[in-house]
Amino acid sequence: MSNVFYQEKFQDRHNGPRARETQEMLAYLGVGTVDELIEQTVPSQIRLKQPMGVPVALSEKAYLAKVKQIADKNKVFKSYIGQGYNDVVVPGVIQRNVLENPGWYTQYTPYQAEISQGRLQALLNFQTVVSDLTGLEIANASLLDEATAAAEAMFMLYNARKNKSANVFLVTANIFPQTLDVLQTRAVPFGVEVRVADIRVDNLSDDVFAAFIQYPSADGTVNDYAAFTAAAQERDITTCVAADLMSLALLTPPGEWGADVVVGNTQRFGVPMGFGGPHAAYFATKASYKRNIPGRIIGVTSDASGNYALRMALQTREQHIRRDKASSNICTAQALLAIMASFYAVYHGPQGIKNIALRINDLAKLVDKAVQALGYKQLNESYFDTLRFEVGEQLSGLKSEALNNEVNFYYSDGVVGISIDEATSIEDVELIVRIFAKIKGKSIADIDFEDMVDHLGDSIPEELKRQTAYLTHPLFNDYHSESDMLRYIKSLEAKDLSLCHSMIPLGSCTMKLNATSEMVPLTWSEFGGLHPFAPADQTSGYMYLINELNEWLSKITGFAKMSFQPNSGAQGEYAGLMVIRAYHQSRGQGHRNICLIPASAHGTNPASASMAGMKVVVVKCDDAGNIDVEDLRAKAQQHAEHLNSFMVTYPSTHGVFEESIVEICEIIHANGGQVYMDGANMNAQVGLTSPGFIGADVCHLNLHKTFCIPHGGGGPGMGPIGVAAHLVPFLPSHEVVETSGPEGISAVSAAPFGSASILTISYAYIAMMGGEGLTDATKLAILNANYIKARLEQHYPVLYAGAKGRCGHEMILDCRSFKKVGIEVADIAKRLMDYGFHAPTVSFPVAGTLMVEPTESESKAELDRFCDALVAIRAEIAAVELGEVDQTNNLLKNAPHTADMVTADEWDKPYSRHTAIYPLAYVKANKFWPSVGRVNDSQGDRTLICSCPPIEAYAEA
């Protein structure tokens, strides 16, 4: 037959196993077909009876042509809207070598520090930038967005308040509307009153526990708050400031005038607007709050040889230990965007950042002078980048003229707001002035720009001008040529293991292929250059993509509609529970506040339930790891009057398709509750079953897992929620852009559609896989997992399996018996580095175990390489068990082995250097070297150093 109609399928590139490999794995498992394996794995009662209804797959070429047509529907006007989002100039060396580089965007969260030193250093740099510019001692490694960072600050200060009867969070009236929206959402379940008022000393009443200031204010004004914060401190009232980080190059940092917390967004540091995200928020605070600060912190420690090393400090202090008592459900960051922002600061350095800030301020002053010369009144006496011109009845005409010139201003009550940014040019200024001139019937020919430039004057009061230095560490002063910057970026990249090197077999985290074609449109200006509050007729491309993705994901999940506002999995959990809460309240059942959660659940589940104002009741699991149905039934009936919801992960956290899942949903519904399904394991459902078909009412999807958005070293992510028809009216709304009806809960994230620009990735994945390809991917994910299980279960006990002995898309290897000879699961994780692999998930959901998930993207050859490594490690453990080697001085206890260790003049180990670094033949051909030896975790927690220390000073210490 002729090949004239041959069309290459994207799924053949996405899926790892070739047809021959698939047959070999099936034979090893003793089954004839993939469908036979699926019948043994997925309970028949939850299997879909017909296809999902997702369109036929497009080729990569056809997809890129289609998405270009979609992108062209967006109109990229010059934006002066501001309100927390500004256009930027992304340095090409950072765009090409970080944002577009799989060596950076496919890394996993740096839980295995020894093979993560590059991104850890970049994130430490980020923390240093934030601490230096805000004037506070400690910063975390990023949060999701400015609004949710403000909410995290509110609760940290609420929990730490001295006056336990105080419940008012005093918020400036001059706040970004999206931030106020999120603050009000978070406050409701805890009975915190968000009181909007002027920031004046006489508003510091006894019921106030903290005050919130926008700096500069939402309207652009810059005010002196030193007296206010001093008065607040005298009353034991804390202060949180949301600050524009770029402005702090010129303005006195809030830490110097008494702020306890400073939050904000680092988007201005070289990250595109992207219709709202992803962007890295920041959170800085006083050292006294170092044990309370939410999110991840990168800290300095040393390795086994005493060398400088980095790690995630206090990395298990929250959800997995404290669960429903956790002060935050945050379990992710915006690592990739924080890394970009940190490199932006390194590339420009302190003087370069100051020059950019001065240029923004000077251009704003030039616009101010020129437009006032036309007869308009400018309302802001002091400002950094934002002006407000009084135009009265001329607003409509001015808006029309601006749109005719493809310019967006911010409009409110006869006032035009203009926020100048890094991308603004002198030609842009002339166009702005020309627009204002035309409305007055004047010409800009009468304006002497050169004279104005020579006499700009000041827009920042002397007492608010920054006097202190920042970014003084040598690394911010050494890499300003592109050659130097490129080599610095590459030097850090080389220290990190990513999907470029090998499979990352993390259970519950689905580290699958992030295909190049999926990533290409991400950096197109038509997607990256849009402000999230741009007029609707300029965003039709985005809305087309979002609506079609909504339709596809609704069909895949079996739900009526999705909301894309939640920008992480934990945020999706919270949003879903708040939707359920609103539903119960609408029916006069607001008293329902009991959330049942299995003992095996991820730690964010109980934390999210607590944040949504619920009381957590734990449901037992049986010896097989399944939910104890009778315990669930008893507790559902016991709490029937107050039952709000049940949170369940499916397949279970143990990697098993529980046979009783339909019955579980029916029990909850019979007792008046709603079923919340955690979508972490959706990779095992797509095309075979669905949350809606099973009986769930709401489910969040980790688009950064099942739907191919890269992990980026620990973020970005997206956690949209799908809901059944009865919950649709309660999906999240937004103060600025309509996203829901009048019954919708208030916003859960800053941007209306979360991190909208990365939705292009999931859209691409579904479009190019099609319904058939998505289903085949799920089947192969289950095949790959069962193949690994079959290969390893004779060496490591596999804890849980389904009724017919099969696992889902992941399995748990039990390593607890090795403790009797002193071998911990962490030792296996470190030794795997010597074999060139990242460890599986360590000690979750069961302590002392490894949870393995291979995904569908890995070939049989790669699976075998990984299995060979674990089999060889098991033999190394056996040598310890047999007493052939010492329990404290062996290959596992000394792992990982670095180049420095094996090239040292002396070698005192009871095994050869060759065995240490080349344990199997394949390792020698493609060796990945950990850049540091085993890090000292306890030292890093005891002495919390969270910004760049001078290397000499650290060595001396």
Side-chain angles (χ1 to χ4, degrees):
M1 179 181 285
S2 169
N3 280 332
V4 70
F5 295 113
Y6 170 73
Q7 179 67 63
E8 187 173 68
K9 291 183 178 181
F10 173 75
Q11 74 173 80
D12 293 335
R13 301 300 186 186
H14 174 84
N15 294 330
R18 306 297 88 193
R20 174 183 52 79
E21 292 181 319
T22 298
Q23 289 306 313
E24 289 173 357
M25 288 192 285
L26 289 170
Y28 192 86
L29 293 173
V31 294
T33 65
V34 173
D35 286 338
E36 184 182 344
L37 173 65
I38 297 304
E39 288 171 7
Q40 296 175 7
T41 305
V42 184
S44 59
Q45 67 268 28
I46 65 164
R47 291 282 304 278
L48 294 175
K49 305 300 186 282
Q50 57 191 20
M52 295 176 290
V54 175
V56 174
L58 297 175
S59 69
E60 293 181 63
K61 180 181 177 182
Y63 166 71
L64 288 170
K66 177 184 178 180
V67 79
K68 185 64 173 69
Q69 292 177 337
I70 294 172
D72 288 343
K73 295 176 186 289
N74 288 329
K75 300 174 184 176
V76 187
F77 286 13
K78 179 65 185 176
S79 176
Y80 301 102
I81 296 170
Q83 298 296 296
Y85 303 94
N86 300 90
D87 202 2
V88 297
V89 177
V90 185
V93 67
I94 296 174
Q95 176 167 319
R96 174 64 60 88
N97 296 290
V98 181
L99 180 58
E100 297 175 344
N101 179 1
W104 282 100
Y105 65 68
T106 69
Q107 300 163 345
Y108 182 60
T109 305
Y111 290 117
Q112 296 297 330
E114 295 84 356
I115 50 175
S116 308
Q117 290 295 297
R119 88 201 75 146
L120 286 166
Q121 183 63 60
L123 292 171
L124 188 78
N125 297 350
F126 174 86
Q127 292 175 180
T128 305
V129 172
V130 171
S131 290
D132 280 10
L133 286 170
T134 59
L136 285 167
E137 295 96 335
I138 189 169
N140 68 16
S142 80
L143 291 175
L144 301 175
D145 57 45
E146 180 171 323
T148 55
E152 296 287 349
M154 174 173 69
F155 274 99
M156 188 187 84
L157 297 175
Y158 176 72
N159 290 328
R161 70 198 188 281
K162 292 184 177 179
N163 178 6
K164 296 303 180 183
S165 64
N167 75 324
V168 171
F169 192 55
L170 181 69
V171 174
T172 174
N174 215 331
I175 183 178
F176 292 143
Q178 68 271 22
T179 303
L180 179 60
D181 207 2
V182 172
L183 285 172
Q184 290 172 329
T185 306
R186 289 283 191 95
V188 167
F190 285 86
V192 171
E193 178 190 342
V194 176
R195 182 178 296 167
V196 180
D198 292 334
I199 296 299
R200 299 197 314 263
V201 173
D202 57 7
N203 281 327
L204 292 172
S205 52
D206 291 341
D207 54 358
V208 174
F209 67 85
F212 181 87
I213 297 166
Q214 192 90 44
Y215 181 74
S217 296
D219 64 9
T221 55
V222 177
N223 299 307
D224 187 348
Y225 297 104
F228 175 84
T229 54
Q233 286 172 350
E234 290 177 4
R235 295 165 169 80
D236 288 330
I237 296 172
T238 49
T239 308
C240 174
V241 177
D244 177 339
L245 201 65
M246 184 63 77
S247 76
L248 299 184
L250 304 183
L251 301 178
T252 305
E256 292 182 14
W257 44 260
D260 296 280
V261 180
V262 184
V263 299
N265 196 337
T266 59
Q267 185 256 316
R268 295 192 90 149
F269 278 47
V271 179
M273 288 187 288
F275 203 44
H279 308 138
Y282 70 83
F283 188 115
T285 189
K286 295 178 176 178
S288 56
Y289 291 105
K290 66 185 178 185
R291 305 284 162 172
N292 309 92
I293 186 171
R296 297 169 179 161
I297 305 171
I298 309 308
V300 178
T301 184
S302 61
D303 74 358
S305 300
N307 300 313
Y308 171 90
L310 301 170
R311 62 182 283 276
M312 281 172 53
L314 312 171
Q315 68 182 31
T316 59
R317 76 190 191 287
E318 267 299 337
Q319 295 89 7
H320 292 296
I321 291 175
R322 302 189 64 202
R323 299 181 72 80
D324 56 309
K325 302 297 190 295
S327 58
S328 168
N329 75 336
I330 192 79
C331 81
T332 189
Q334 295 282 26
L336 183 65
L337 298 313
I339 287 166
M340 285 182 66
S342 77
F343 280 138
Y344 179 94
V346 170
Y347 191 42
H348 289 292
Q351 191 56 52
I353 296 292
K354 185 172 184 178
N355 289 342
I356 292 167
L358 285 169
R359 185 172 177 278
I360 291 169
N361 183 237
D362 283 347
L363 288 174
K365 289 185 288 189
L366 182 57
V367 173
D368 186 5
K369 277 184 170 293
V371 175
Q372 286 209 63
L374 295 170
Y376 294 92
K377 181 181 180 182
Q378 203 280 115
L379 301 176
N380 292 349
E381 289 185 23
S382 58
Y383 56 84
F384 165 59
D385 66 350
T386 299
L387 310 165
R388 290 185 301 145
F389 291 101
E390 207 168 57
V391 297
E393 295 178 356
Q394 294 175 314
L395 189 142
S396 178
L398 193 142
K399 184 176 183 180
S400 295
E401 182 61 21
L403 292 173
N404 288 340
N405 285 277
E406 298 190 348
V407 167
N408 289 328
F409 296 133
Y410 184 76
Y411 304 99
S412 66
D413 300 327
V415 174
V416 175
I418 301 176
S419 290
I420 303 299
D421 56 46
E422 179 191 8
T424 306
S425 66
I426 191 70
E427 292 77 16
D428 293 325
V429 169
E430 291 174 356
L431 178 57
I432 292 170
V433 178
R434 189 176 294 113
I435 291 167
F436 277 83
K438 185 168 183 179
I439 303 306
K440 289 279 192 181
K442 296 183 178 182
S443 169
I444 68 166
D446 300 329
I447 295 176
D448 187 344
F449 281 102
E450 289 188 11
D451 182 67
M452 287 182 176
V453 168
D454 291 337
H455 301 89
L456 285 177
D458 277 342
S459 70
I460 299 172
E462 201 62 35
E463 65 273 15
L464 287 180
K465 289 183 180 179
R466 184 176 191 123
Q467 305 298 321
T468 50
Y470 53 88
L471 306 185
T472 57
H473 193 279
L475 72 87
F476 297 107
N477 295 275
D478 286 349
Y479 304 108
H480 302 327
S481 74
E482 182 163 335
S483 296
D484 287 339
M485 188 66 198
L486 175 64
R487 290 166 188 153
Y488 181 61
I489 290 171
K490 288 296 180 180
S491 73
L492 295 189
E493 179 190 339
K495 295 179 178 181
D496 284 16
L497 186 139
S498 71
L499 282 172
C500 299
H501 301 93
S502 58
M503 68 182 287
I504 299 180
L506 283 149
S508 194
C509 288
T510 315
M511 296 292 292
K512 62 168 72 177
L513 172 72
N514 312 123
T516 306
S517 293
E518 295 162 4
M519 301 297 293
V520 166
L522 179 67
T523 49
W524 291 352
S525 62
E526 296 91 340
F527 290 120
L530 262 66
H531 193 289
F533 305 155
D537 62 356
Q538 296 172 24
T539 65
S540 56
Y542 257 119
M543 297 318 300
Y544 178 94
L545 185 147
I546 287 170
N547 289 335
E548 192 161 32
L549 185 57
N550 197 317
E551 180 183 340
W552 294 345
L553 289 175
S554 296
K555 288 177 178 178
I556 289 167
T557 58
F559 285 130
K561 194 173 183 181
M562 310 290 299
S563 167
F564 290 101
Q565 197 174 116
N567 51 7
S568 80
Q571 194 84 314
E573 292 174 13
Y574 175 74
L577 292 173
M578 291 297 285
V579 164
I580 290 172
R581 185 177 185 274
Y583 165 73
H584 285 309
Q585 288 178 332
S586 75
R587 303 171 73 237
Q589 296 184 355
H591 61 278
R592 291 187 172 273
N593 69 339
I594 298 293
C595 183
L596 303 181
I597 298 180
S600 62
H602 191 281
T604 58
N605 284 184
S608 295
S610 178
M611 282 178 55
M614 297 182 202
K615 180 181 177 183
V616 172
V617 174
V618 177
V619 176
K620 296 176 185 175
C621 289
D622 63 23
D623 292 340
N626 299 317
I627 293 166
D628 186 326
V629 175
E630 292 313 309
D631 188 56
L632 173 75
R633 191 190 313 276
K635 284 171 177 169
Q637 292 173 350
Q638 176 188 348
H639 298 289
E641 184 181 349
H642 293 91
L643 182 61
N644 175 287
S645 51
F646 173 63
M647 298 185 80
V648 61
T649 301
Y650 200 77
S652 73
T653 311
H654 296 138
V656 175
F657 284 93
E658 297 186 39
E659 300 277 342
S660 59
I661 186 63
V662 174
E663 181 185 4
I664 284 169
C665 293
E666 290 171 349
I667 290 170
I668 298 303
H669 290 145
N671 288 281
Q674 297 283 285
V675 176
Y676 178 94
M677 186 169 284
D678 185 319
N681 292 342
M682 193 69 194
N683 207 45
Q685 285 196 43
V686 178
L688 302 181
T689 185
S690 72
F693 186 73
I694 290 167
D697 300 286
V698 56
C699 175
H700 87 264
L701 300 176
N702 293 320
L703 297 187
H704 48 288
K705 294 183 180 179
T706 301
F707 296 96
C708 290
I709 292 174
H711 283 62
M718 276 290 275
I721 56 170
V723 296
H726 63 284
L727 296 180
V728 169
F730 309 100
L731 287 172
S733 61
H734 193 274
E735 185 66 22
V736 182
V737 177
E738 187 175 316
T739 61
S740 185
E743 293 184 278
I745 64 170
S746 50
V748 295
S749 300
F753 303 101
S755 296
S757 67
I758 56 176
L759 294 176
T760 57
I761 302 167
S762 297
Y763 182 86
Y765 173 62
I766 297 172
M768 291 190 289
M769 290 292 278
E772 182 182 334
L774 291 169
T775 305
D776 287 345
T778 306
K779 292 177 180 179
L780 287 175
I782 292 171
L783 171 62
N784 281 359
N786 279 282
Y787 176 69
I788 287 182
K789 175 179 179 290
R791 274 215 59 192
L792 293 180
E793 60 191 353
Q794 57 194 304
H795 304 281
Y796 300 84
V798 175
L799 270 189
Y800 305 112
K804 297 179 181 177
R806 302 299 186 189
C807 65
H809 64 311
E810 60 190 3
M811 88 274 334
I812 299 173
L813 305 180
D814 191 354
C815 305
R816 292 173 293 185
S817 66
F818 308 143
K819 286 176 69 74
K820 65 179 181 290
V821 291
I823 300 297
E824 303 287 344
V825 69
D827 298 323
I828 301 173
K830 304 310 179 189
R831 180 59 174 155
L832 267 169
M833 297 176 192
D834 291 330
Y835 288 80
F837 284 104
H838 194 290
T841 303
V842 175
S843 289
F844 175 79
V846 180
T849 66
L850 295 170
M851 184 159 63
V852 181
E853 179 182 357
T855 85
E856 70 275 11
S857 295
E858 302 301 339
S859 66
K860 178 178 179 292
E862 184 71 356
L863 303 183
D864 282 333
R865 204 165 68 88
F866 173 70
C867 290
D868 290 346
L870 278 177
V871 170
I873 290 172
R874 182 64 185 90
E876 294 170 357
I877 296 170
V880 181
E881 291 172 325
L882 294 170
E884 296 172 359
V885 298
D886 186 78
Q887 291 190 11
T888 59
N889 186 11
N890 56 59
L891 286 160
L892 286 97
K893 285 295 183 184
N894 296 326
H897 298 84
T898 66
D900 282 349
M901 290 169 64
V902 298
T903 57
D905 292 338
E906 294 184 8
W907 179 258
D908 60 356
K909 306 295 188 289
Y911 46 86
S912 72
R913 301 176 201 242
H914 190 279
T915 303
I917 61 172
Y918 299 132
L920 290 174
Y922 73 76
V923 180
K924 196 168 188 177
N926 192 25
K927 176 67 178 176
F928 180 87
W929 289 97
S931 57
V932 298
R934 192 172 304 200
V935 300
N936 187 326
D937 290 334
S938 59
Q939 177 195 343
D941 285 346
R942 287 194 310 272
T943 308
L944 199 58
I945 302 171
C946 300
S947 58
C948 296
I951 305 301
E952 300 80 6
Y954 180 72
E956 290 169 7

